[in-house]
Amino acid sequence: MSSAAIIHATIQVSGRRMFPLILAVLAMEDGDVLARLQRREPQALAELYDRYGGMVYRLALRIVRDTGIAEDLVQETFLRAWNRAAAFDSQRGAAGPWLLAIARNRSLDYLRAQSRRVANTLELNETEHPARFVDFPAEALNFDLARQVKHALEQLGPDERAAIELAYFEGLSQSEIAERMAQPLGTVKTWMRRAMARMRESMGSVNR
Amino acid sequence: MTCEELRPGYLLYAMGTVGEPESSELRVHLDRGCAACTEGLRQAHALVYSMGAVLAGPEAPRELRGRVLGISGVEARRTQAPGPLLPRARSGRLWQGWALAAAAIVLAVIPASLWHRQLSQARASQAAVAELLAEERRASSSLRAESRGAVPIFALEVERGGTAGEALKQLAIPAGVRAVVLALPADLVRQASAVELRNATGETIWTASSLPDGDADSTGLKVDGRLLTPGRYAVVLLAGGRTLARLPFAVIPR
């Protein structure tokens, strides 16, 4: 299947390291590398890391906010992919979304363990099941859509955005978000619904 | 519930943050083959992916690549000394095949603040090991918070490979090890009724009779790290009173 990767680079301005700039999107074939990963070819792991390692690291770091832990989680993510590649449909599965799902789950597991919070939501492992990444919407792997999502998130009101981010980056359910934000559950549901509607709108056909 | 009622939950479901009963209701609905909700959920997965894919932030440290590639042994092969740890003549015999035994042992030290940072050196390439490491990390979080000291754990991958009695590799275990994860071939463990760790004199120093089951390539068993002082050992898998396999390895002084 055809996939895409966002290429990041870092620039130096007056000696200060700036956030990565998204420079370009390259269409790449993940199917081949996944097939080789299934044959346990080490070079395939290297290629997969080169494509998605940075993305995985940034997500883990955003969630756990500790560089050392984030590095460990990246390693766990690729270890899991290495061990579970056989279950992946190399021709129809999307490697990037799968890796990000694994990284997010491992990171949220870590947060939960730290806070001794019991998972009362959908089993996270389910969200990284290889079957979920078969025939992944091609448009989602397109940089323009990703940029639209980012823009949509930035346009949300502070409460709506906070609610969405608590769900995504901390894995909180709506009830937990309501508790965290000291708001009635109904209010949080309204924010979430509104936020999702706005994101859908910004994404054109998505979720229509 | 109707599609209209379920639609607001797509995104949360894709994020894995839908509680019950909404989660079950959506699953039942999907199981009925609702094309609209299936497509909606597929798009929600795409949205969730996009949220992670566009994050700004620092680049991953350069050395992380080496750690990750260590999972498959890429880096290890590139950097290891060419000579075998055992004399060539002996290691040649090791690969004569029918016998189980001999151990390829992979170790990882996990400093407290930066958990299995050196796992790349370990090449612990089995899911069971990863999961046990994660479990250990969770269990040790309070300890880390208190001490910021070492919470070492070893992932010790034991494979079949040569003639019984020959240790394929010898490894030094750094000081202060609390736990060692023995990663054993899962197909052997599935056949076994008990697993024993024996020292050089054949004395059983640790036994596991309640063996985990699973479909991973290997099964991880955690033992007290203090048991593994320098010396020769063997993991012995027993089935109905007979020895199913003997997987020897050696621990050498640091």
Side-chain angles (χ1 to χ4, degrees), chain B residues 118-140:
Chain B
Q118 298 176 27
L119 194 56
S120 59
Q121 295 165 8
R123 290 176 287 139
S125 59
Q126 305 297 339
V129 174
E131 282 163 12
L132 278 168
L133 288 174
E135 179 192 321
E136 182 69 19
R137 183 177 58 199
R138 283 193 290 273
S140 302

Side-chain angles (χ1 to χ4, degrees), chain A:
Chain A
M1 63 156 288
S2 180
S3 179
I6 298 167
I7 307 302
H8 293 264
T10 303
I11 59 168
Q12 302 279 336
V13 177
S14 303
R16 289 174 56 202
R17 191 163 185 267
M18 307 297 288
F19 281 149
L21 293 181
I22 299 168
L23 293 182
V25 180
L26 294 181
M28 292 193 290
E29 290 293 328
D30 276 347
D32 170 62
V33 72
L34 283 167
R36 288 189 288 121
L37 198 72
Q38 290 173 335
R39 295 197 294 270
R40 303 186 80 74
E41 291 180 19
Q43 189 56 35
L45 184 68
E47 288 176 32
L48 206 62
Y49 178 83
D50 290 342
R51 289 179 193 184
Y52 300 109
M55 202 184 278
V56 167
Y57 175 73
R58 280 185 287 277
L59 177 59
L61 183 60
R62 172 66 178 77
I63 292 174
V64 302
R65 298 174 186 277
D66 179 306
T67 54
I69 299 294
E71 289 172 35
D72 295 340
L73 291 165
V74 171
Q75 195 169 15
E76 269 188 42
T77 297
F78 281 91
L79 178 60
R80 210 170 175 87
W82 174 254
N83 282 312
R84 300 190 174 189
F88 207 82
D89 186 330
S90 63
Q91 295 311 306
R92 294 166 59 206
W98 182 45
L99 286 167
L100 279 193
I102 296 173
R104 177 172 173 264
N105 291 351
R106 301 278 71 75
S107 303
L108 292 178
D109 273 351
Y110 174 80
L111 281 191
R112 283 179 173 154
Q114 291 293 99
S115 63
R116 302 185 189 285
R117 183 157 56 87
V118 178
N120 59 355
T121 52
L122 178 67
E123 175 55 48
L124 279 171
N125 281 336
E126 232 180 85
T127 65
E128 67 182 55
H129 193 284
R132 290 205 168 200
F133 303 94
V134 171
D135 293 336
F136 205 77
E139 66 272 22
L141 304 173
N142 178 291
F143 171 63
D144 286 339
L145 179 65
R147 192 170 54 182
Q148 284 175 47
V149 171
K150 188 166 187 276
H151 181 70
L153 281 168
E154 289 165 353
Q155 297 303 308
L156 294 175
D159 290 331
E160 296 163 354
R161 184 174 176 180
I164 287 285
E165 290 189 344
L166 284 171
Y168 184 73
F169 294 116
E170 297 194 33
L172 300 189
S173 66
Q174 293 187 110
S175 304
E176 290 167 326
I177 293 168
E179 193 178 331
R180 175 77 68 87
M181 297 180 75
Q183 294 289 334
L185 177 59
T187 303
V188 169
K189 284 187 173 178
T190 302
W191 287 341
M192 300 287 277
R193 201 163 32 240
R194 202 183 300 154
M196 282 184 281
R198 292 179 67 170
M199 288 168 74
R200 280 200 304 269
E201 283 168 20
S202 72
M203 294 170 65
S205 63
V206 174
N207 259 2
R208 290 246 169 98

Side-chain angles (χ1 to χ4, degrees), chain B residues 96-162:
Chain B
Q96 295 170 6
W98 55 270
L100 298 173
I105 304 168
V106 179
L107 300 180
V109 185
I110 294 95
S113 57
L114 298 172
W115 262 112
H116 28 115
R117 205 180 232 312
Q118 298 176 27
L119 194 56
S120 59
Q121 295 165 8
R123 290 176 287 139
S125 59
Q126 305 297 339
V129 174
E131 282 163 12
L132 278 168
L133 288 174
E135 179 192 321
E136 182 69 19
R137 183 177 58 199
R138 283 193 290 273
S140 302
S141 58
S142 59
L143 180 62
R144 279 189 294 134
E146 287 165 15
S147 70
R148 307 299 293 176
V151 184
I153 182 170
F154 278 73
L156 194 148
E157 191 174 343
V158 187
E159 296 174 350
R160 66 193 100 193

Side-chain angles (χ1 to χ4, degrees), chain B residues 6 59-60 64 71-72 116 147 173-174 177 186 194 203 228 245:
Chain B
L6 291 169
E59 295 297 315
L64 182 56
I71 292 167
S72 64
H116 28 115
S147 70
I173 300 178
V177 171
E203 179 190 359
L228 292 170

